[in-house]
C-alpha cells in the first residue's frame, strides 16, 4: 500500500496571500495610521523565504530559530519600505501571531473527504510541506489531523522541497514501505522534486501536464481514491 504525501497550501487548503496579509496586518497593528498599501508590502515580500533557496541546509535554523530568521527578514523588509526602526522591530515580532491564525487557511471542500477516504482504503498519509514549524497544530485545528500518520515540515526538518533530503526524511518515516505518492498543485517544486526522489506523483488543481503520473482537477476526482 502506498504512502500518500500531501502538500498543504494550494493542495488541501487555500491561504491566499498569507504572508503579505500577515506582514501588513502586523504593521497596521503597530502603526494604525500607516500610509503603506498592501500592494507595497507584496512587492517587498517577494523574496527571502527559505523555500526560495531550497539547495541550502537549514537544519541550524529550525523550530524557534526558524522564526528568528524570518523576523530578521520581516524587520529588514519593513525598513526597506520606509517604516521607522521602532515600529519595524515591533511589527516584525508580531507577524507570527497573524500567520498562525487557523482562519487564514480555507480547506478545499473535498479535502476532508479525500483524506477520510484514503484512511478508509488503508493508505498511510502525511503532510509534506514547505512551511512554518507549527503547521501540525494548524492542520489539527482545521479538523484534518485525525486522518494523518505524521508530518514532514521544512521548518522542523531543515530542508525545503525540492531538495531531495526532505523527501528522504519522508521515506525514512516508513522504512517498510516501497511506494510513495506526492500529491500537490505545484509542478516545479513538488511534482518534479518528488519524481527525482523516486516517488510517484499526482497533480491537482492545475491544468494537466506530462510531468505528473496522474492528474485530477479536484481532490474528489482522484482515481486511486474514488475510481471504480
Amino acid at each position: 500500500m502506498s504512502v500518500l504525501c500531501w502538500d498543504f497550501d494550494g493542495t488541501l487548503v487555500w491561504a491566499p496571500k498569507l504572508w503579505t496579509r500577515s506582514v501588513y496586518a502586523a504593521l497596521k497593528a503597530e502603526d494604525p495610521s500607516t500610509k503603506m498599501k498592501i500592494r507595497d508590502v507584496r512587492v517587498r515580500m517577494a523574496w527571502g523565504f527559505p523555500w526560495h533557496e531550497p539547495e541550502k541546509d537549514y537544519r541550524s535554523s529550525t523550530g524557534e530559530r526558524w522564526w528568528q530568521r524570518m523576523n530578521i527578514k520581516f524587520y529588514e523588509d519593513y525598513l526597506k519600505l520606509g517604516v521607522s526602526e521602532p515600529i519595524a522591530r515591533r511589527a516584525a515580532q508580531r507577524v507570527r501571531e497573524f500567520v498562525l491564525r487557523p482562519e487564514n487557511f480555507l480547506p478545499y471542500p473535498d479535502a476532508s473527504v479525500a483524506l477520510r477516504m484514503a484512511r478508509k482504503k488503508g493508505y498511510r498519509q502525511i503532510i509534506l510541506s514547505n512551511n512554518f514549524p507549527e503547521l501540525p497544530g494548524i492542520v489539527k485545528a482545521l479538523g484534518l489531523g485525525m486522518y494523518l500518520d505524521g508530518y514532514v515540515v521544512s521548518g522542523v526538518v531543515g530542508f525545503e522541497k525540492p531538495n531531495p533530503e526532505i523527501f528522504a526524511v519522508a521515506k525514512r518515516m516508513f522504512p517498510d514501505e516501497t511506494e510513495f505518492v506526492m500529491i500537490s498543485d505545484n509542478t516545479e517544486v513538488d511534482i518534479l522534486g518528488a519524481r527525482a526522489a523516486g516517488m510517484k506523483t499526482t497533480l491537482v488543481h492545475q491544468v494537466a501536464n506530462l510531468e505528473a503520473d496522474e492528474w485530477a482537477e479536484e481532490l474528489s476526482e482522484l482515481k486511486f481514491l474514488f475510481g471504480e
Side-chain angles (χ1 to χ4, degrees), residues 32-94:
S33 63
T34 182
K35 303 299 183 184
M36 200 75 62
K37 304 297 183 183
I38 194 167
R39 63 175 177 271
D40 301 320
V41 174
R42 182 166 179 75
V43 171
R44 183 62 257 165
M45 291 291 297
W47 184 259
F49 290 91
W51 43 83
H52 291 143
E53 297 181 286
E55 70 281 0
K56 292 186 176 181
D57 182 335
Y58 293 102
R59 283 177 292 179
S60 63
S61 300
T62 59
E64 192 63 30
R65 289 183 178 180
W66 190 92
W67 281 107
Q68 292 172 2
R69 182 179 187 277
M70 293 309 304
N71 289 347
I72 294 173
K73 168 189 161 47
F74 301 143
Y75 171 73
E76 293 176 346
D77 286 346
Y78 283 134
L79 292 181
K80 291 175 182 177
L81 284 166
V83 176
S84 67
E85 193 281 333
I87 293 176
R89 176 170 40 80
R90 294 197 302 270
Q93 295 293 326
R94 296 194 62 181

Side-chain angles (χ1 to χ4, degrees), residues 6 10-14 106-118 125 144 147 204-205 216-222 225-226:
W6 297 89
T11 299
L12 293 174
V13 306
W14 185 49
L106 310 174
Y108 281 100
D110 49 4
S112 62
V113 175
L115 292 172
R116 184 167 61 250
M117 180 60 75
Q125 47 189 344
L144 303 178
Y147 307 113
V204 295
H205 304 312
E217 187 172 347
E218 305 291 341
L219 297 177
S220 57
E221 297 174 358
L222 289 167
L225 295 183
F226 302 100

Side-chain angles (χ1 to χ4, degrees), residues 185-218:
D185 66 307
N186 190 307
T187 298
E188 182 177 354
V189 172
D190 291 348
I191 300 301
L192 293 179
R195 191 175 71 178
M199 292 184 175
K200 291 188 175 181
T201 58
T202 298
L203 181 69
V204 295
H205 304 312
Q206 299 291 344
V207 176
N209 64 52
L210 298 177
E211 303 294 351
D213 297 307
E214 296 187 29
W215 171 81
E217 187 172 347
E218 305 291 341

Side-chain angles (χ1 to χ4, degrees), residues 1 4 7 19 22 70 81-82 87 101 110 126 129 131 182 199 206 214-215:
M1 184 64 71
L4 306 184
D7 177 47
W19 294 97
S22 298
M70 293 309 304
L81 284 166
I87 293 176
R101 294 181 176 182
D110 49 4
I126 64 171
S129 177
N131 235 309
M182 184 74 220
M199 292 184 175
Q206 299 291 344
E214 296 187 29
W215 171 81

Side-chain angles (χ1 to χ4, degrees), residues 120-135:
K120 181 178 179 180
K121 285 181 174 286
Y123 289 103
R124 305 175 84 173
Q125 47 189 344
I126 64 171
I127 297 290
L128 177 50
S129 177
N130 289 349
N131 235 309
F132 48 77
E134 295 90 344
L135 183 63

